[in-house]
Amino acid sequence: MDKLLIAGGIPLSGEVAISGAKNAALPLLCAALLTKEPVTFTNVPHLNDIGTMLKLLAQMGVKVSRETSRICAGDAPKEVPLGDTVTLDASGLNNAVAPYEMVKTMRASILVLGPLLARAGEARVSLPGGCAIGARPVDQHIKGLTAMGAEVGVEQGYVHARATRLKGARLFTDMVTVTGTENLMMAACLAQGETVIENAAREPEVVDLANCLVAMGARISGAGGDVIRIQGVDALHGATHRIMPDRIETGTYLCAAAATGGAIRLTGASATSLDAVIDKLMDTGCDIVAERDAIRIKAPRRLAAVSIRTAPYPAFPTDMQAQFMAINAVADGTAVMRETIFENRFMHAVELIRLGADIKIDGNTAFVTGRPKLDGATVMATDLRASASLVIAGLVAQGETLIERIYHLDRGYEGLEKKLAALGADIRRVK
Ligand code: EPZ
């Protein structure tokens, strides 16, 4: 199994391009199930999770075509992948089933449930199990579809849903759920009448999905707010949609530059979807300049510790918590970090402690006291964002850091070590 070997202590410098957003691409690919006409997506990140989703759609009878484009980044030895163009044609949809074998590798497969039910009147989707960061039930997805008139049951580990035609309804989710909002919004596009989703997720990925659905002929208003209205239509048509930049990938590279005392420029990035993160990075003492289509950061000699509390957008994203724990591990002062979204999202703390960090956990709160330095060691990745925090810590640590189980990284970061190498890091993949 591949590992990453990092020799730390080099301030990052230079420029790289940000990829399309994983968490926008996954629901968008599922939206193609809603129409018989071809839908084309550009700026699709070249990631394992995208590959899994395309395989899942193909086994349902969707025709998939994928073109990969690559560019040179600075004087990087090898080309850096930069976005695929994917065309999906679901006119031949003939198998409304998402099998356990595929869903178990990627929870986001649940996002086929709403579109399949709306388009085919039936769907059988394996219930995603728990994951490293929490139990992550999908009861709100099921509750919403039931309120829209579907018969939904769980049999032999599968969610089985049936509806001749979904009916518009007033939906209220007990907590803000991103994929829950996305699933119900997609289902409502072909329902009879109006659906109102209250307490909806406001994440930029939800807005990117709504924009694409509207381009396909859907009638949606209020996306980006906590009340979304969808007027159902009889059919949707084809469209072409460019996937938004990945704000979590952007935030991760900004943290890597901050932690190493570097100065970098990220092209194809959007600062508007990162206010809470940029705000906190400026509190650490970083200079950040937002350009029209790029972000520049310059780190101070030593960062100041910053406390954070995760919460739904536009508050501080849980998907950036681990990366900020890595920068607080070398900052000046003590940070209080509260995780309010997932009940088990501090797995990276014990690995950071192996690198010499001073972290104490009390329930959903971590107290991180910064140290002047970390020392390289062998550590293990437990989930996608935890692995990103170990990469950041490895870039700072003295000596070599070896990160095991990096398949987690490949699920969500396109060409990470190539991009970091383009920024001057001493990083390579080893067996
Ligand atoms: C999305 O997951 C993202 N994944 C996650 O990113 C992200 O961490 C999360 O939103 C929060 O921002 C994708 O978009 C593919 P939720 P999602 O439903 O939709 C509870 C990454 O690193 N809940 O908003 O699955 C749930 O357990 C990943 O890229 C229920 O109880 O998250 C959690 O505590 C990790 N019942 C909270 O709500 C439900 O039916 C928020 O979860 C649904 C959710």
Side-chain angles (χ1 to χ4, degrees):
M1 223 190 272
D2 285 5
K3 302 179 178 94
L4 269 184
L5 186 62
I6 306 173
I10 304 169
L12 297 185
S13 61
E15 177 174 306
V16 287
I18 289 299
S19 302
K22 167 182 84 79
N23 289 348
L26 293 170
L28 281 161
L29 295 173
C30 297
L33 290 167
L34 289 165
T35 174
K36 290 193 176 90
E37 297 180 20
V39 184
T40 297
F41 300 100
T42 59
N43 200 31
V44 181
H46 200 82
L47 299 168
N48 291 359
D49 272 9
I50 300 295
T52 306
M53 186 61 88
L54 294 178
K55 277 199 211 99
L56 180 64
L57 296 172
Q59 63 89 43
M60 293 175 180
V62 177
K63 271 202 236 79
V64 176
S65 81
R66 185 184 196 176
E67 279 162 50
T68 296
S69 53
R70 303 195 173 286
I71 63 161
C72 279
D75 51 11
K78 291 205 189 62
E79 292 168 344
V80 171
L82 195 60
D84 296 352
T85 296
V86 171
T87 298
L88 300 176
D89 175 348
S91 56
L93 178 64
N94 57 19
N95 176 35
V97 179
Y100 172 73
E101 288 315 316
M102 295 182 138
V103 175
K104 76 175 181 189
T105 63
M106 183 185 66
R107 307 178 44 75
S109 311
I110 192 73
L111 285 161
V112 299
L113 180 60
L116 276 179
L117 184 57
R119 165 89 190 283
E122 182 167 17
R124 271 187 81 238
V125 177
S126 173
L127 203 57
C131 89
I133 65 177
R136 304 182 71 181
V138 293
D139 56 307
Q140 299 300 306
H141 303 235
I142 294 174
K143 177 184 152 197
L145 294 174
T146 307
M148 296 172 78
E151 274 171 53
V152 188
V154 177
E155 301 145 15
Q156 284 116 19
Y158 277 75
V159 178
H160 198 171
R162 274 181 293 265
T164 325
R165 182 164 185 196
L166 293 168
K167 295 185 183 43
R170 201 171 191 87
L171 309 176
F172 181 88
T173 55
D174 300 350
M175 77 295 293
V176 172
T177 160
V178 177
T179 51
T181 300
E182 292 165 342
N183 234 336
L184 299 173
M185 183 166 70
M186 288 192 277
C189 289
L190 296 179
Q192 199 152 33
E194 180 181 57
T195 298
V196 180
I197 306 177
E198 294 188 61
N199 198 26
R202 303 168 58 186
E203 270 66 5
E205 294 78 15
V206 172
V207 176
D208 204 31
L209 175 62
N211 291 344
C212 177
L213 291 167
V214 168
M216 293 166 66
R219 295 170 55 196
I220 302 175
S221 59
D226 59 5
V227 177
I228 301 178
R229 289 176 188 283
I230 307 106
Q231 192 60 45
V233 296
D234 294 340
L236 295 179
H237 51 72
T240 296
H241 180 82
R242 181 178 170 77
I243 306 234
M244 64 175 276
D246 195 316
R247 63 192 171 103
I248 306 299
E249 184 198 25
T250 307
T252 302
Y253 282 100
L254 292 174
C255 284
T260 59
I264 66 171
R265 184 167 180 267
L266 301 173
T267 59
S270 144
T272 46
S273 64
L274 269 174
D275 291 348
V277 171
I278 289 175
D279 204 45
K280 287 292 175 185
L281 281 169
M282 291 169 104
D283 288 351
T284 68
C286 289
D287 286 335
I288 296 185
V289 177
E291 299 169 12
R292 199 178 56 74
D293 187 30
I295 302 175
R296 271 187 290 120
I297 183 170
K298 185 171 179 339
R301 211 183 50 69
R302 177 121 197 247
L303 300 170
V306 282
S307 295
I308 59 121
R309 179 183 177 284
T310 68
Y313 191 87
F316 188 91
T318 174
D319 294 348
M320 284 301 303
Q321 177 256 100
Q323 297 91 319
F324 267 70
M325 191 177 281
I327 62 175
N328 275 326
V330 290
D332 183 15
T334 296
V336 178
M337 306 185 67
R338 202 157 275 129
E339 173 56 57
T340 74
I341 307 267
F342 292 109
E343 65 272 23
N344 187 35
R345 204 167 203 181
F346 284 147
M347 303 279 276
H348 39 282
V350 281
E351 300 300 317
L352 290 171
I353 291 168
R354 288 178 49 72
L355 297 169
D358 175 352
I359 303 171
K360 296 182 181 51
I361 306 283
D362 178 7
N364 74 343
T365 306
F367 301 88
V368 184
T369 302
R371 288 261 170 88
K373 68 175 186 63
L374 297 177
D375 295 311
T378 301
V379 290
M380 191 186 307
T382 49
D383 62 78
L384 171 58
R385 307 307 170 183
S387 30
S389 82
L390 299 180
V391 169
I392 293 170
L395 292 168
V396 177
Q398 299 194 334
E400 289 192 335
T401 296
L402 183 68
I403 305 176
E404 299 185 335
R405 296 195 182 176
I406 55 163
Y407 55 82
H408 289 291
L409 274 170
D410 297 335
R411 298 188 52 192
Y413 289 96
E414 184 175 37
L416 180 116
E417 74 264 24
K418 291 191 181 93
K419 290 189 185 184
L420 285 171
L423 295 170
D426 181 344
I427 180 169
R428 58 198 166 85
R429 194 171 280 243
V430 293
K431 291 285 171 223

